[in-house]
């Protein structure tokens, strides 16, 4: 199912209480085609969200791109695992409604994706509301180089991601689940804002580098994905403190989680078998690697059920020749490949 259809599904069928659904509601509709109409009609949006939706269509479109980028990254990071961040509606919609590590990751990466695409759009000059960040010049450089070029205005992307994704109705404010979602959204945004890097360029006669100018840029989104995946691995299970005001780890021998850590309250299922309530589709039919002891190996992937192998014939271009000038001529070769799948 393509992402558009997936969002459309959420828009029409899910009565999801999650804050993120604020975003899904907005982007999940034919909004991209008719933003005005949807912004006016959509009662699920809070005042602030409706404002952004109406006045800042371009930003909402960038948020949609951010969500897409986030899901692609999630699928990359989890490709060899039992839960592979599939957007199949039966799974993804459930994952969003629970409160497991997987939920935490999806929220964080989505919030990060929105920071990333909105900020990038500012730097490219495709939004009216923002441009490159010009305040960076005030921060001193070490004399070896000078600030110059376009600095990514991450604070703008951060602010928009927060405005749009953290919005919630007041009555839910004290709710544990809401607290955790807001925390994980923030962890995602920080995974970009706190890891800005510097790119530089040399000027001067060839190779002399007499003058070097540098600009601040966001980390690659792949690095952000990897960082959040590490946070997923070390996520903290929490409950609410007795006074109901803060989140505490269940095991108080563990050091308290920081703002950049991911939090959850619910143990994940093992994702071996289909379990509807938990968004697990099971691993039957998943491809695996026969002799590997890793996560992608059949032993772990198939949860001890074993696997089957089938031979398929594949046709590929081969023995390609470059003919002057400019043609490439290939032959078609047929080979037999073995596909291994979990029972
Ligand atoms: C992800 O997992 C689902 C369900 O287990 C499976 O149907 C799908 O093909 C998997 N996707 C990839 C890219 O392996």
């Amino acid at each position: 199912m393509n992402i558009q259809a997936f969002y459309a599904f959420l828009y029409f069928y899910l009565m999801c209480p999650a804050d993120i659904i604020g975003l899904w509601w907005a982007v999940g509709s034919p909004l991209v085609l008719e933003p005005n109409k949807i912004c006016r009609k959509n009662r699920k949006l809070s005042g602030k969200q409706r404002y952004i939706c109406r006045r800042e269509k371009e930003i909402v479109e960038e948020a949609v791109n951010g969500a897409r980028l986030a899901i692609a990254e999630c699928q990359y990071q989890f490709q060899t695992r039992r839960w592979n961040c599939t957007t199949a509606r039966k799974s993804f919609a459930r994952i969003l409604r629970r409160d497991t590590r997987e939920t935490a990751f999806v929220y964080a990466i989505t919030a990060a994706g929105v920071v990333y695409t909105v900020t990038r759009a500012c730097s490219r000059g495709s939004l009216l509301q923002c441009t490159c960040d010009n305040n960076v010049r005030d921060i001193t450089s070490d004399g070896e180089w000078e600030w110059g070029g376009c600095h990514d205005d991450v604070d703008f992307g951060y602010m928009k991601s927060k405005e749009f994704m953290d919005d919630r109705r007041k009555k839910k404010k004290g709710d544990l689940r809401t607290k955790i979602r807001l925390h994980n959204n923030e962890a995602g945004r920080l995974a970009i804002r706190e890891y800005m890097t510097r790119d530089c360029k040399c000027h001067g006669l060839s190779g002399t580098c007499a003058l070097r100018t540098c600009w601040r840029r966001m980390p690659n989104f792949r690095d952000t994905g990897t960082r959040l995946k590490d946070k997923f691995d070390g996520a903290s299970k929490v409950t609410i403190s007795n006074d109901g005001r803060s989140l505490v780890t269940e095991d108080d021998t563990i050091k308290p989680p920081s703002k950049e850590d991911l939090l959850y309250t619910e143990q994940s299922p093992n994702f071996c078998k289909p379990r509807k309530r938990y968004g697990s589709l099971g691993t039957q039919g998943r491809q695996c690697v026969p002799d590997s002891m890793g996560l992608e190996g059949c032993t772990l992937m198939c949860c001890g059920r074993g696997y089957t192998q089938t031979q398929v014939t594949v046709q590929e271009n081969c023995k390609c020749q470059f003919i002057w000038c400019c043609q490439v001529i290939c032959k078609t070769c047929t080979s037999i490949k073995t596909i291994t799948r979990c029972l």
Side-chain angles (χ1 to χ4, degrees):
M1 171 152 69
N2 70 28
I3 206 88
Q4 208 79 24
F6 161 66
Y7 287 148
F9 157 75
L10 282 170
Y11 178 69
F12 288 112
Y13 296 109
L14 263 185
M15 298 297 287
C16 220
D19 309 294
I20 198 176
I21 297 308
L23 176 68
W24 306 133
W25 284 114
V27 299
S29 56
L31 169 78
V32 185
L33 305 174
E34 280 185 283
N36 285 326
K37 204 167 158 191
I38 298 299
C39 288
R40 221 178 314 124
K41 276 193 173 172
N42 199 333
R43 294 219 178 80
K44 288 282 162 190
L45 298 178
S46 70
K48 188 91 189 187
Q49 284 169 331
R50 196 170 302 146
Y51 176 85
I52 298 178
C53 194
R54 238 190 349 241
R55 294 290 166 82
E56 304 186 332
K57 273 178 258 176
E58 307 78 14
I59 292 183
V60 177
E61 278 173 30
E62 285 307 332
V64 176
N65 291 335
R68 283 195 190 122
L69 178 69
I71 287 176
E73 184 59 29
C74 181
Q75 292 181 340
Y76 173 83
Q77 294 293 339
F78 286 85
Q79 58 191 331
T80 61
R81 302 179 62 110
R82 290 178 191 157
W83 178 72
N84 63 5
C85 200
T86 173
T87 53
R89 64 168 80 167
K90 277 182 190 157
S91 174
F92 203 74
R94 284 285 166 184
I95 296 286
L96 288 178
R97 294 166 82 164
R98 305 226 60 110
D99 207 2
T100 60
R101 283 168 193 270
E102 287 77 16
T103 314
F105 184 84
V106 171
Y107 277 73
I109 194 94
T110 306
V114 175
V115 174
Y116 188 87
T117 52
V118 170
T119 305
R120 192 180 55 183
C122 295
S123 294
R124 280 181 182 162
S126 49
L127 295 176
L128 292 174
Q129 295 89 342
C130 58
T131 54
C132 304
D133 184 358
N134 292 317
N135 298 323
V136 178
R137 253 165 265 286
D138 301 339
I139 308 167
T140 47
S141 67
D142 58 11
E144 304 273 300
W145 48 273
E146 284 176 17
W147 287 113
C150 178
H151 307 288
D152 282 336
D153 189 357
V154 72
D155 291 332
F156 185 85
Y158 174 92
M159 179 179 79
K160 288 297 157 190
S161 173
K162 196 176 169 84
E163 269 179 20
F164 209 54
M165 304 196 53
D166 284 7
D167 217 306
R168 62 216 143 116
R169 267 136 287 180
K170 284 207 179 66
K171 67 176 196 276
K172 304 207 115 210
K173 234 173 178 170
D175 171 49
L176 175 61
R177 196 166 275 211
T178 304
K179 271 191 178 7
I180 287 177
R181 283 183 179 160
L182 295 179
H183 176 99
N184 291 331
N185 284 352
E186 179 69 5
R189 289 189 290 266
L190 293 180
I192 294 193
R193 202 188 71 180
E194 302 303 305
Y195 296 90
M196 296 296 281
T197 61
R198 208 172 69 200
D199 258 0
C200 296
K201 191 170 138 188
C202 278
H203 305 273
L205 291 173
S206 58
T208 57
C209 206
L211 176 67
R212 219 150 64 98
T213 53
C214 303
W215 58 94
R216 255 157 72 84
R217 68 163 177 83
M218 290 183 289
N220 292 328
F221 200 65
R222 174 60 28 95
D223 296 341
T224 303
T226 305
R227 179 165 294 115
L228 288 174
K229 172 62 170 40
D230 288 344
K231 296 292 183 190
F232 168 92
D233 291 331
S236 310
K237 191 156 189 276
V238 295
T239 53
I240 205 146
S241 63
N242 289 338
D243 64 2
R245 293 173 127 196
S246 53
L247 301 169
V248 289
T249 43
E250 284 198 338
D251 178 356
D252 48 328
T253 60
I254 301 172
K255 82 171 169 63
S258 78
K259 283 190 163 187
E260 295 183 23
D261 291 325
L262 297 185
L263 307 181
Y264 65 101
T265 58
E266 243 183 342
Q267 206 59 50
S268 301
N270 60 18
F271 292 101
C272 281
K273 289 187 196 153
R275 283 187 75 188
K276 217 171 150 192
R277 286 185 53 198
Y278 289 92
S280 167
L281 300 175
T283 60
Q284 191 186 357
R286 283 288 300 279
Q287 284 199 32
C288 59
V289 184
D291 298 319
S292 164
M293 290 316 286
L295 290 169
E296 72 289 346
C298 298
T299 314
L300 284 177
M301 182 66 81
C302 309
C303 310
R305 298 184 307 261
Y307 55 85
T308 55
Q309 293 191 311
T310 45
Q311 316 276 320
V312 291
T313 323
V314 284
Q315 292 193 331
E316 283 170 331
N317 284 338
C318 60
K319 296 187 184 139
C320 295
Q321 267 186 322
F322 181 72
I323 298 175
W324 187 266
C325 179
C326 298
Q327 250 187 319
V328 179
I329 296 182
C330 298
K331 292 204 162 114
T332 306
C333 299
T334 311
S335 61
I336 295 179
K337 287 211 169 123
T338 305
I339 306 266
T340 310
R341 288 183 190 280
C342 292
L343 285 170

